Amino acid sequence: MTVAARSFLAYCRPGFEGECAQELAAHDSILATGGFARSQRSSGYVEFVLPDADAAKRFAEAVHWRELGFARQLLRVKARIDGLPREDRLAVLMPAIRIGGRRYCDAWIESPDNDAARELAGLCRSLNNALIAALKREGLIDPQSPWRLHVCLTDAQTAFVADADIAKTSAWPGGIPRLRFPSAAPSRSTLKLEEALLTLLDADERERWLKPGMSGVDLGAAPGGWTWQLVRRAIRVTAVDNGPMDQALIDSGLVIHLREDGFRYRPPNPVDWLVCDMVEQPRRVAARMAEWLAGGWCRFAIFNLKLPMKKRYDEVQLCRDTVEQAVAAAGRHVEWRARQLYHDREEITVFSRLH
């Protein structure tokens, strides 16, 4: 067992370890904590190592999961264990779990989202049941605890033991909300917006900012996957797209379909929501979103940025600067939250709100 109280484990989409590492390094640079990333291509995770426990503490206090775009989850590592025995893994895991004497509200055994680790799903399930039982026997389960235990199996013999402040980490195993495709929705893209609303907004924000009777515009709407998410919340939508819309959405009485170019449409009056999933260069989409937000044409916006093959982290930063600078020039302030969703591919989804 290697005690590693100075490192963090970040889950990400396989193939985006570099971008996840860049993002963590950017936070580290601001904090001057002197960390470095360890990762393997397509592993689905990054280990970020700090020089000592004090630096790790500062990093943990300053970096919130919701501020990260490429990391699905961020966990502080207690120990790394190599050579887990097949016959009694818990006997080796429990000493690492006891480090610090912490009690937990729950415990998750999980694996990264990569092809090799997915084969560990059965082992994770069976071992998780045995772990919960062992924790209960030792009095280490407390439903009121603000901490959750995580054990990440990167293969059958290797594990990271970590803990998470539930207020600062993702509420889903692996950082992935497992959503079911609604049969009434016209396309699977609807899952992107559903996941964005779950992960980029908290429960209180969803209740306050997604009220029946609000107004919205969906740019590049056809066939209506994103429009469907707004309509199911009784929000009135202007769907802008030269392509055909799902007839059931039109029949709802909450949708007006305009066969127009999403890059030219301007609403006659400001709306509450703008959503956009147009297939276009990210800089062009960012400039269009900047125009809407700087002009005060919407209060809230969720949009996708389709990323290039190279310098993807840099492209996201450029797009963010485009939006923030345009809004600042108009004498306004905009909030930016971004995440590469489980239902995204080579893209990142952004929530912006005018202040």
Side-chain angles (χ1 to χ4, degrees), residues 331-352:
R332 299 171 179 266
H333 176 72
V334 67
E335 181 179 2
W336 174 284
R337 305 177 193 175
R339 173 144 299 110
Q340 187 176 34
L341 307 175
Y342 175 72
H343 293 96
D344 282 340
R345 293 186 183 276
E346 305 291 320
E347 59 199 354
I348 197 163
T349 301
V350 180
F351 167 79
S352 288

mmCIF file with all atom_site columns, all heavy atoms in Angstrom, residues 331-352:
data_model
loop_
_atom_site.group_PDB
_atom_site.id
_atom_site.type_symbol
_atom_site.label_atom_id
_atom_site.label_alt_id
_atom_site.label_comp_id
_atom_site.label_asym_id
_atom_site.label_entity_id
_atom_site.label_seq_id
_atom_site.pdbx_PDB_ins_code
_atom_site.Cartn_x
_atom_site.Cartn_y
_atom_site.Cartn_z
_atom_site.occupancy
_atom_site.B_iso_or_equiv
_atom_site.pdbx_formal_charge
_atom_site.auth_seq_id
_atom_site.auth_comp_id
_atom_site.auth_asym_id
_atom_site.auth_atom_id
_atom_site.pdbx_PDB_model_num
ATOM 1   N N   . GLY A 1 331 ? -21.099 46.120 -20.622 1.00 0.00 ? 331 GLY A N   1
ATOM 2   C CA  . GLY A 1 331 ? -21.376 46.555 -19.257 1.00 0.00 ? 331 GLY A CA  1
ATOM 3   C C   . GLY A 1 331 ? -22.110 45.527 -18.427 1.00 0.00 ? 331 GLY A C   1
ATOM 4   O O   . GLY A 1 331 ? -22.757 45.873 -17.431 1.00 0.00 ? 331 GLY A O   1
ATOM 5   N N   . ARG A 1 332 ? -21.982 44.248 -18.812 1.00 0.00 ? 332 ARG A N   1
ATOM 6   C CA  . ARG A 1 332 ? -22.651 43.175 -18.085 1.00 0.00 ? 332 ARG A CA  1
ATOM 7   C C   . ARG A 1 332 ? -21.621 42.166 -17.580 1.00 0.00 ? 332 ARG A C   1
ATOM 8   O O   . ARG A 1 332 ? -20.450 42.217 -17.944 1.00 0.00 ? 332 ARG A O   1
ATOM 9   C CB  . ARG A 1 332 ? -23.672 42.470 -18.983 1.00 0.00 ? 332 ARG A CB  1
ATOM 10  C CG  . ARG A 1 332 ? -24.801 43.366 -19.492 1.00 0.00 ? 332 ARG A CG  1
ATOM 11  C CD  . ARG A 1 332 ? -25.632 42.650 -20.552 1.00 0.00 ? 332 ARG A CD  1
ATOM 12  N NE  . ARG A 1 332 ? -26.728 43.463 -21.053 1.00 0.00 ? 332 ARG A NE  1
ATOM 13  C CZ  . ARG A 1 332 ? -27.956 43.430 -20.577 1.00 0.00 ? 332 ARG A CZ  1
ATOM 14  N NH1 . ARG A 1 332 ? -28.253 42.620 -19.573 1.00 0.00 ? 332 ARG A NH1 1
ATOM 15  N NH2 . ARG A 1 332 ? -28.897 44.188 -21.092 1.00 0.00 ? 332 ARG A NH2 1
ATOM 16  N N   . HIS A 1 333 ? -22.087 41.253 -16.756 1.00 0.00 ? 333 HIS A N   1
ATOM 17  C CA  . HIS A 1 333 ? -21.236 40.162 -16.267 1.00 0.00 ? 333 HIS A CA  1
ATOM 18  C C   . HIS A 1 333 ? -21.933 38.842 -16.559 1.00 0.00 ? 333 HIS A C   1
ATOM 19  O O   . HIS A 1 333 ? -23.161 38.733 -16.408 1.00 0.00 ? 333 HIS A O   1
ATOM 20  C CB  . HIS A 1 333 ? -20.992 40.292 -14.757 1.00 0.00 ? 333 HIS A CB  1
ATOM 21  C CG  . HIS A 1 333 ? -20.199 39.152 -14.195 1.00 0.00 ? 333 HIS A CG  1
ATOM 22  N ND1 . HIS A 1 333 ? -18.848 38.979 -14.437 1.00 0.00 ? 333 HIS A ND1 1
ATOM 23  C CD2 . HIS A 1 333 ? -20.576 38.098 -13.402 1.00 0.00 ? 333 HIS A CD2 1
ATOM 24  C CE1 . HIS A 1 333 ? -18.432 37.893 -13.824 1.00 0.00 ? 333 HIS A CE1 1
ATOM 25  N NE2 . HIS A 1 333 ? -19.443 37.328 -13.190 1.00 0.00 ? 333 HIS A NE2 1
ATOM 26  N N   . VAL A 1 334 ? -21.147 37.841 -16.980 1.00 0.00 ? 334 VAL A N   1
ATOM 27  C CA  . VAL A 1 334 ? -21.723 36.542 -17.316 1.00 0.00 ? 334 VAL A CA  1
ATOM 28  C C   . VAL A 1 334 ? -21.017 35.447 -16.536 1.00 0.00 ? 334 VAL A C   1
ATOM 29  O O   . VAL A 1 334 ? -19.806 35.496 -16.316 1.00 0.00 ? 334 VAL A O   1
ATOM 30  C CB  . VAL A 1 334 ? -21.622 36.263 -18.831 1.00 0.00 ? 334 VAL A CB  1
ATOM 31  C CG1 . VAL A 1 334 ? -20.182 36.086 -19.268 1.00 0.00 ? 334 VAL A CG1 1
ATOM 32  C CG2 . VAL A 1 334 ? -22.456 35.060 -19.234 1.00 0.00 ? 334 VAL A CG2 1
ATOM 33  N N   . GLU A 1 335 ? -21.785 34.496 -16.067 1.00 0.00 ? 335 GLU A N   1
ATOM 34  C CA  . GLU A 1 335 ? -21.246 33.314 -15.404 1.00 0.00 ? 335 GLU A CA  1
ATOM 35  C C   . GLU A 1 335 ? -21.034 32.221 -16.443 1.00 0.00 ? 335 GLU A C   1
ATOM 36  O O   . GLU A 1 335 ? -21.849 32.061 -17.361 1.00 0.00 ? 335 GLU A O   1
ATOM 37  C CB  . GLU A 1 335 ? -22.220 32.839 -14.320 1.00 0.00 ? 335 GLU A CB  1
ATOM 38  C CG  . GLU A 1 335 ? -21.758 31.632 -13.544 1.00 0.00 ? 335 GLU A CG  1
ATOM 39  C CD  . GLU A 1 335 ? -22.741 31.226 -12.461 1.00 0.00 ? 335 GLU A CD  1
ATOM 40  O OE1 . GLU A 1 335 ? -23.816 31.868 -12.348 1.00 0.00 ? 335 GLU A OE1 1
ATOM 41  O OE2 . GLU A 1 335 ? -22.450 30.256 -11.737 1.00 0.00 ? 335 GLU A OE2 1
ATOM 42  N N   . TRP A 1 336 ? -19.951 31.472 -16.289 1.00 0.00 ? 336 TRP A N   1
ATOM 43  C CA  . TRP A 1 336 ? -19.600 30.403 -17.239 1.00 0.00 ? 336 TRP A CA  1
ATOM 44  C C   . TRP A 1 336 ? -19.408 29.110 -16.468 1.00 0.00 ? 336 TRP A C   1
ATOM 45  O O   . TRP A 1 336 ? -18.587 29.026 -15.563 1.00 0.00 ? 336 TRP A O   1
ATOM 46  C CB  . TRP A 1 336 ? -18.320 30.785 -17.971 1.00 0.00 ? 336 TRP A CB  1
ATOM 47  C CG  . TRP A 1 336 ? -17.732 29.754 -18.889 1.00 0.00 ? 336 TRP A CG  1
ATOM 48  C CD1 . TRP A 1 336 ? -17.025 28.638 -18.541 1.00 0.00 ? 336 TRP A CD1 1
ATOM 49  C CD2 . TRP A 1 336 ? -17.763 29.751 -20.326 1.00 0.00 ? 336 TRP A CD2 1
ATOM 50  N NE1 . TRP A 1 336 ? -16.614 27.938 -19.659 1.00 0.00 ? 336 TRP A NE1 1
ATOM 51  C CE2 . TRP A 1 336 ? -17.056 28.602 -20.764 1.00 0.00 ? 336 TRP A CE2 1
ATOM 52  C CE3 . TRP A 1 336 ? -18.323 30.603 -21.284 1.00 0.00 ? 336 TRP A CE3 1
ATOM 53  C CZ2 . TRP A 1 336 ? -16.882 28.295 -22.111 1.00 0.00 ? 336 TRP A CZ2 1
ATOM 54  C CZ3 . TRP A 1 336 ? -18.156 30.289 -22.625 1.00 0.00 ? 336 TRP A CZ3 1
ATOM 55  C CH2 . TRP A 1 336 ? -17.449 29.158 -23.033 1.00 0.00 ? 336 TRP A CH2 1
ATOM 56  N N   . ARG A 1 337 ? -20.187 28.086 -16.793 1.00 0.00 ? 337 ARG A N   1
ATOM 57  C CA  . ARG A 1 337 ? -19.992 26.742 -16.255 1.00 0.00 ? 337 ARG A CA  1
ATOM 58  C C   . ARG A 1 337 ? -19.926 25.799 -17.450 1.00 0.00 ? 337 ARG A C   1
ATOM 59  O O   . ARG A 1 337 ? -20.793 25.853 -18.314 1.00 0.00 ? 337 ARG A O   1
ATOM 60  C CB  . ARG A 1 337 ? -21.155 26.319 -15.347 1.00 0.00 ? 337 ARG A CB  1
ATOM 61  C CG  . ARG A 1 337 ? -21.469 27.272 -14.209 1.00 0.00 ? 337 ARG A CG  1
ATOM 62  C CD  . ARG A 1 337 ? -22.680 26.777 -13.420 1.00 0.00 ? 337 ARG A CD  1
ATOM 63  N NE  . ARG A 1 337 ? -23.198 27.788 -12.510 1.00 0.00 ? 337 ARG A NE  1
ATOM 64  C CZ  . ARG A 1 337 ? -24.301 27.634 -11.778 1.00 0.00 ? 337 ARG A CZ  1
ATOM 65  N NH1 . ARG A 1 337 ? -24.995 26.484 -11.845 1.00 0.00 ? 337 ARG A NH1 1
ATOM 66  N NH2 . ARG A 1 337 ? -24.713 28.606 -10.991 1.00 0.00 ? 337 ARG A NH2 1
ATOM 67  N N   . ALA A 1 338 ? -18.931 24.942 -17.466 1.00 0.00 ? 338 ALA A N   1
ATOM 68  C CA  . ALA A 1 338 ? -18.761 24.054 -18.625 1.00 0.00 ? 338 ALA A CA  1
ATOM 69  C C   . ALA A 1 338 ? -18.460 22.640 -18.164 1.00 0.00 ? 338 ALA A C   1
ATOM 70  O O   . ALA A 1 338 ? -17.816 22.429 -17.128 1.00 0.00 ? 338 ALA A O   1
ATOM 71  C CB  . ALA A 1 338 ? -17.637 24.564 -19.516 1.00 0.00 ? 338 ALA A CB  1
ATOM 72  N N   . ARG A 1 339 ? -18.910 21.672 -18.936 1.00 0.00 ? 339 ARG A N   1
ATOM 73  C CA  . ARG A 1 339 ? -18.598 20.274 -18.627 1.00 0.00 ? 339 ARG A CA  1
ATOM 74  C C   . ARG A 1 339 ? -18.670 19.433 -19.902 1.00 0.00 ? 339 ARG A C   1
ATOM 75  O O   . ARG A 1 339 ? -19.556 19.619 -20.736 1.00 0.00 ? 339 ARG A O   1
ATOM 76  C CB  . ARG A 1 339 ? -19.567 19.716 -17.591 1.00 0.00 ? 339 ARG A CB  1
ATOM 77  C CG  . ARG A 1 339 ? -19.391 18.218 -17.354 1.00 0.00 ? 339 ARG A CG  1
ATOM 78  C CD  . ARG A 1 339 ? -19.606 17.810 -15.929 1.00 0.00 ? 339 ARG A CD  1
ATOM 79  N NE  . ARG A 1 339 ? -18.651 18.465 -15.042 1.00 0.00 ? 339 ARG A NE  1
ATOM 80  C CZ  . ARG A 1 339 ? -18.976 19.407 -14.164 1.00 0.00 ? 339 ARG A CZ  1
ATOM 81  N NH1 . ARG A 1 339 ? -20.217 19.796 -14.021 1.00 0.00 ? 339 ARG A NH1 1
ATOM 82  N NH2 . ARG A 1 339 ? -18.054 19.952 -13.403 1.00 0.00 ? 339 ARG A NH2 1
ATOM 83  N N   . GLN A 1 340 ? -17.725 18.523 -20.016 1.00 0.00 ? 340 GLN A N   1
ATOM 84  C CA  . GLN A 1 340 ? -17.835 17.500 -21.050 1.00 0.00 ? 340 GLN A CA  1
ATOM 85  C C   . GLN A 1 340 ? -18.722 16.405 -20.485 1.00 0.00 ? 340 GLN A C   1
ATOM 86  O O   . GLN A 1 340 ? -18.327 15.651 -19.600 1.00 0.00 ? 340 GLN A O   1
ATOM 87  C CB  . GLN A 1 340 ? -16.472 16.949 -21.444 1.00 0.00 ? 340 GLN A CB  1
ATOM 88  C CG  . GLN A 1 340 ? -16.587 16.008 -22.641 1.00 0.00 ? 340 GLN A CG  1
ATOM 89  C CD  . GLN A 1 340 ? -15.249 15.524 -23.114 1.00 0.00 ? 340 GLN A CD  1
ATOM 90  O OE1 . GLN A 1 340 ? -14.335 15.324 -22.314 1.00 0.00 ? 340 GLN A OE1 1
ATOM 91  N NE2 . GLN A 1 340 ? -15.116 15.335 -24.419 1.00 0.00 ? 340 GLN A NE2 1
ATOM 92  N N   . LEU A 1 341 ? -19.929 16.330 -20.985 1.00 0.00 ? 341 LEU A N   1
ATOM 93  C CA  . LEU A 1 341 ? -20.928 15.415 -20.453 1.00 0.00 ? 341 LEU A CA  1
ATOM 94  C C   . LEU A 1 341 ? -20.654 13.978 -20.902 1.00 0.00 ? 341 LEU A C   1
ATOM 95  O O   . LEU A 1 341 ? -19.960 13.736 -21.890 1.00 0.00 ? 341 LEU A O   1
ATOM 96  C CB  . LEU A 1 341 ? -22.317 15.837 -20.930 1.00 0.00 ? 341 LEU A CB  1
ATOM 97  C CG  . LEU A 1 341 ? -22.729 17.292 -20.666 1.00 0.00 ? 341 LEU A CG  1
ATOM 98  C CD1 . LEU A 1 341 ? -24.076 17.575 -21.316 1.00 0.00 ? 341 LEU A CD1 1
ATOM 99  C CD2 . LEU A 1 341 ? -22.774 17.584 -19.170 1.00 0.00 ? 341 LEU A CD2 1
ATOM 100 N N   . TYR A 1 342 ? -21.248 13.044 -20.189 1.00 0.00 ? 342 TYR A N   1
ATOM 101 C CA  . TYR A 1 342 ? -21.179 11.647 -20.603 1.00 0.00 ? 342 TYR A CA  1
ATOM 102 C C   . TYR A 1 342 ? -21.798 11.480 -21.990 1.00 0.00 ? 342 TYR A C   1
ATOM 103 O O   . TYR A 1 342 ? -21.309 10.692 -22.806 1.00 0.00 ? 342 TYR A O   1
ATOM 104 C CB  . TYR A 1 342 ? -21.917 10.777 -19.588 1.00 0.00 ? 342 TYR A CB  1
ATOM 105 C CG  . TYR A 1 342 ? -22.014 9.324  -19.986 1.00 0.00 ? 342 TYR A CG  1
ATOM 106 C CD1 . TYR A 1 342 ? -20.895 8.501  -19.949 1.00 0.00 ? 342 TYR A CD1 1
ATOM 107 C CD2 . TYR A 1 342 ? -23.228 8.764  -20.398 1.00 0.00 ? 342 TYR A CD2 1
ATOM 108 C CE1 . TYR A 1 342 ? -20.967 7.173  -20.320 1.00 0.00 ? 342 TYR A CE1 1
ATOM 109 C CE2 . TYR A 1 342 ? -23.312 7.432  -20.766 1.00 0.00 ? 342 TYR A CE2 1
ATOM 110 C CZ  . TYR A 1 342 ? -22.186 6.643  -20.730 1.00 0.00 ? 342 TYR A CZ  1
ATOM 111 O OH  . TYR A 1 342 ? -22.269 5.320  -21.097 1.00 0.00 ? 342 TYR A OH  1
ATOM 112 N N   . HIS A 1 343 ? -22.872 12.226 -22.282 1.00 0.00 ? 343 HIS A N   1
ATOM 113 C CA  . HIS A 1 343 ? -23.552 12.114 -23.569 1.00 0.00 ? 343 HIS A CA  1
ATOM 114 C C   . HIS A 1 343 ? -22.943 13.016 -24.639 1.00 0.00 ? 343 HIS A C   1
ATOM 115 O O   . HIS A 1 343 ? -23.433 13.046 -25.768 1.00 0.00 ? 343 HIS A O   1
ATOM 116 C CB  . HIS A 1 343 ? -25.052 12.413 -23.394 1.00 0.00 ? 343 HIS A CB  1
ATOM 117 C CG  . HIS A 1 343 ? -25.753 11.362 -22.579 1.00 0.00 ? 343 HIS A CG  1
ATOM 118 N ND1 . HIS A 1 343 ? -25.963 11.504 -21.229 1.00 0.00 ? 343 HIS A ND1 1
ATOM 119 C CD2 . HIS A 1 343 ? -26.235 10.146 -22.918 1.00 0.00 ? 343 HIS A CD2 1
ATOM 120 C CE1 . HIS A 1 343 ? -26.573 10.422 -20.769 1.00 0.00 ? 343 HIS A CE1 1
ATOM 121 N NE2 . HIS A 1 343 ? -26.749 9.587  -21.769 1.00 0.00 ? 343 HIS A NE2 1
ATOM 122 N N   . ASP A 1 344 ? -21.907 13.776 -24.288 1.00 0.00 ? 344 ASP A N   1
ATOM 123 C CA  . ASP A 1 344 ? -21.126 14.498 -25.286 1.00 0.00 ? 344 ASP A CA  1
ATOM 124 C C   . ASP A 1 344 ? -20.108 13.545 -25.905 1.00 0.00 ? 344 ASP A C   1
ATOM 125 O O   . ASP A 1 344 ? -19.794 12.496 -25.343 1.00 0.00 ? 344 ASP A O   1
ATOM 126 C CB  . ASP A 1 344 ? -20.361 15.660 -24.639 1.00 0.00 ? 344 ASP A CB  1
ATOM 127 C CG  . ASP A 1 344 ? -21.240 16.867 -24.352 1.00 0.00 ? 344 ASP A CG  1
ATOM 128 O OD1 . ASP A 1 344 ? -22.317 16.982 -24.954 1.00 0.00 ? 344 ASP A OD1 1
ATOM 129 O OD2 . ASP A 1 344 ? -20.836 17.688 -23.499 1.00 0.00 ? 344 ASP A OD2 1
ATOM 130 N N   . ARG A 1 345 ? -19.575 13.971 -27.038 1.00 0.00 ? 345 ARG A N   1
ATOM 131 C CA  . ARG A 1 345 ? -18.460 13.235 -27.633 1.00 0.00 ? 345 ARG A CA  1
ATOM 132 C C   . ARG A 1 345 ? -17.280 14.198 -27.756 1.00 0.00 ? 345 ARG A C   1
ATOM 133 O O   . ARG A 1 345 ? -16.647 14.523 -26.763 1.00 0.00 ? 345 ARG A O   1
ATOM 134 C CB  . ARG A 1 345 ? -18.870 12.620 -28.978 1.00 0.00 ? 345 ARG A CB  1
ATOM 135 C CG  . ARG A 1 345 ? -19.926 11.508 -28.801 1.00 0.00 ? 345 ARG A CG  1
ATOM 136 C CD  . ARG A 1 345 ? -20.220 10.790 -30.102 1.00 0.00 ? 345 ARG A CD  1
ATOM 137 N NE  . ARG A 1 345 ? -21.267 9.786  -29.932 1.00 0.00 ? 345 ARG A NE  1
ATOM 138 C CZ  . ARG A 1 345 ? -21.051 8.551  -29.496 1.00 0.00 ? 345 ARG A CZ  1
ATOM 139 N NH1 . ARG A 1 345 ? -19.839 8.167  -29.203 1.00 0.00 ? 345 ARG A NH1 1
ATOM 140 N NH2 . ARG A 1 345 ? -22.061 7.702  -29.377 1.00 0.00 ? 345 ARG A NH2 1
ATOM 141 N N   . GLU A 1 346 ? -16.993 14.659 -28.961 1.00 0.00 ? 346 GLU A N   1
ATOM 142 C CA  . GLU A 1 346 ? -15.896 15.624 -29.139 1.00 0.00 ? 346 GLU A CA  1
ATOM 143 C C   . GLU A 1 346 ? -16.436 17.034 -28.936 1.00 0.00 ? 346 GLU A C   1
ATOM 144 O O   . GLU A 1 346 ? -16.342 17.888 -29.812 1.00 0.00 ? 346 GLU A O   1
ATOM 145 C CB  . GLU A 1 346 ? -15.289 15.469 -30.546 1.00 0.00 ? 346 GLU A CB  1
ATOM 146 C CG  . GLU A 1 346 ? -14.821 14.083 -30.882 1.00 0.00 ? 346 GLU A CG  1
ATOM 147 C CD  . GLU A 1 346 ? -13.595 13.670 -30.075 1.00 0.00 ? 346 GLU A CD  1
ATOM 148 O OE1 . GLU A 1 346 ? -12.708 14.512 -29.880 1.00 0.00 ? 346 GLU A OE1 1
ATOM 149 O OE2 . GLU A 1 346 ? -13.545 12.505 -29.631 1.00 0.00 ? 346 GLU A OE2 1
ATOM 150 N N   . GLU A 1 347 ? -16.959 17.301 -27.759 1.00 0.00 ? 347 GLU A N   1
ATOM 151 C CA  . GLU A 1 347 ? -17.597 18.596 -27.511 1.00 0.00 ? 347 GLU A CA  1
ATOM 152 C C   . GLU A 1 347 ? -17.665 18.845 -26.018 1.00 0.00 ? 347 GLU A C   1
ATOM 153 O O   . GLU A 1 347 ? -17.387 17.970 -25.198 1.00 0.00 ? 347 GLU A O   1
ATOM 154 C CB  . GLU A 1 347 ? -19.016 18.607 -28.105 1.00 0.00 ? 347 GLU A CB  1
ATOM 155 C CG  . GLU A 1 347 ? -19.916 17.532 -27.533 1.00 0.00 ? 347 GLU A CG  1
ATOM 156 C CD  . GLU A 1 347 ? -21.135 17.242 -28.405 1.00 0.00 ? 347 GLU A CD  1
ATOM 157 O OE1 . GLU A 1 347 ? -21.334 17.946 -29.394 1.00 0.00 ? 347 GLU A OE1 1
ATOM 158 O OE2 . GLU A 1 347 ? -21.862 16.308 -28.079 1.00 0.00 ? 347 GLU A OE2 1
ATOM 159 N N   . ILE A 1 348 ? -18.027 20.055 -25.676 1.00 0.00 ? 348 ILE A N   1
ATOM 160 C CA  . ILE A 1 348 ? -18.221 20.444 -24.283 1.00 0.00 ? 348 ILE A CA  1
ATOM 161 C C   . ILE A 1 348 ? -19.493 21.276 -24.215 1.00 0.00 ? 348 ILE A C   1
ATOM 162 O O   . ILE A 1 348 ? -19.836 21.987 -25.165 1.00 0.00 ? 348 ILE A O   1
ATOM 163 C CB  . ILE A 1 348 ? -16.991 21.216 -23.752 1.00 0.00 ? 348 ILE A CB  1
ATOM 164 C CG1 . ILE A 1 348 ? -16.998 21.251 -22.225 1.00 0.00 ? 348 ILE A CG1 1
ATOM 165 C CG2 . ILE A 1 348 ? -16.891 22.602 -24.358 1.00 0.00 ? 348 ILE A CG2 1
ATOM 166 C CD1 . ILE A 1 348 ? -15.647 21.619 -21.641 1.00 0.00 ? 348 ILE A CD1 1
ATOM 167 N N   . THR A 1 349 ? -20.230 21.164 -23.118 1.00 0.00 ? 349 THR A N   1
ATOM 168 C CA  . THR A 1 349 ? -21.502 21.860 -22.970 1.00 0.00 ? 349 THR A CA  1
ATOM 169 C C   . THR A 1 349 ? -21.352 22.964 -21.927 1.00 0.00 ? 349 THR A C   1
ATOM 170 O O   . THR A 1 349 ? -20.774 22.746 -20.862 1.00 0.00 ? 349 THR A O   1
ATOM 171 C CB  . THR A 1 349 ? -22.617 20.885 -22.558 1.00 0.00 ? 349 THR A CB  1
ATOM 172 O OG1 . THR A 1 349 ? -22.722 19.859 -23.560 1.00 0.00 ? 349 THR A OG1 1
ATOM 173 C CG2 . THR A 1 349 ? -23.955 21.596 -22.446 1.00 0.00 ? 349 THR A CG2 1
ATOM 174 N N   . VAL A 1 350 ? -21.893 24.130 -22.244 1.00 0.00 ? 350 VAL A N   1
ATOM 175 C CA  . VAL A 1 350 ? -21.697 25.325 -21.419 1.00 0.00 ? 350 VAL A CA  1
ATOM 176 C C   . VAL A 1 350 ? -23.040 25.871 -20.948 1.00 0.00 ? 350 VAL A C   1
ATOM 177 O O   . VAL A 1 350 ? -24.005 25.936 -21.722 1.00 0.00 ? 350 VAL A O   1
ATOM 178 C CB  . VAL A 1 350 ? -20.955 26.429 -22.214 1.00 0.00 ? 350 VAL A CB  1
ATOM 179 C CG1 . VAL A 1 350 ? -20.742 27.669 -21.346 1.00 0.00 ? 350 VAL A CG1 1
ATOM 180 C CG2 . VAL A 1 350 ? -19.621 25.905 -22.740 1.00 0.00 ? 350 VAL A CG2 1
ATOM 181 N N   . PHE A 1 351 ? -23.094 26.253 -19.675 1.00 0.00 ? 351 PHE A N   1
ATOM 182 C CA  . PHE A 1 351 ? -24.200 27.043 -19.138 1.00 0.00 ? 351 PHE A CA  1
ATOM 183 C C   . PHE A 1 351 ? -23.685 28.431 -18.820 1.00 0.00 ? 351 PHE A C   1
ATOM 184 O O   . PHE A 1 351 ? -22.641 28.591 -18.177 1.00 0.00 ? 351 PHE A O   1
ATOM 185 C CB  . PHE A 1 351 ? -24.755 26.406 -17.850 1.00 0.00 ? 351 PHE A CB  1
ATOM 186 C CG  . PHE A 1 351 ? -25.670 27.322 -17.072 1.00 0.00 ? 351 PHE A CG  1
ATOM 187 C CD1 . PHE A 1 351 ? -26.986 27.510 -17.468 1.00 0.00 ? 351 PHE A CD1 1
ATOM 188 C CD2 . PHE A 1 351 ? -25.205 27.993 -15.965 1.00 0.00 ? 351 PHE A CD2 1
ATOM 189 C CE1 . PHE A 1 351 ? -27.831 28.356 -16.763 1.00 0.00 ? 351 PHE A CE1 1
ATOM 190 C CE2 . PHE A 1 351 ? -26.041 28.834 -15.230 1.00 0.00 ? 351 PHE A CE2 1
ATOM 191 C CZ  . PHE A 1 351 ? -27.356 29.020 -15.638 1.00 0.00 ? 351 PHE A CZ  1
ATOM 192 N N   . SER A 1 352 ? -24.396 29.466 -19.300 1.00 0.00 ? 352 SER A N   1
ATOM 193 C CA  . SER A 1 352 ? -24.049 30.854 -19.008 1.00 0.00 ? 352 SER A CA  1
ATOM 194 C C   . SER A 1 352 ? -25.272 31.581 -18.483 1.00 0.00 ? 352 SER A C   1
ATOM 195 O O   . SER A 1 352 ? -26.404 31.308 -18.915 1.00 0.00 ? 352 SER A O   1
ATOM 196 C CB  . SER A 1 352 ? -23.512 31.565 -20.246 1.00 0.00 ? 352 SER A CB  1
ATOM 197 O OG  . SER A 1 352 ? -22.221 31.109 -20.577 1.00 0.00 ? 352 SER A OG  1
#
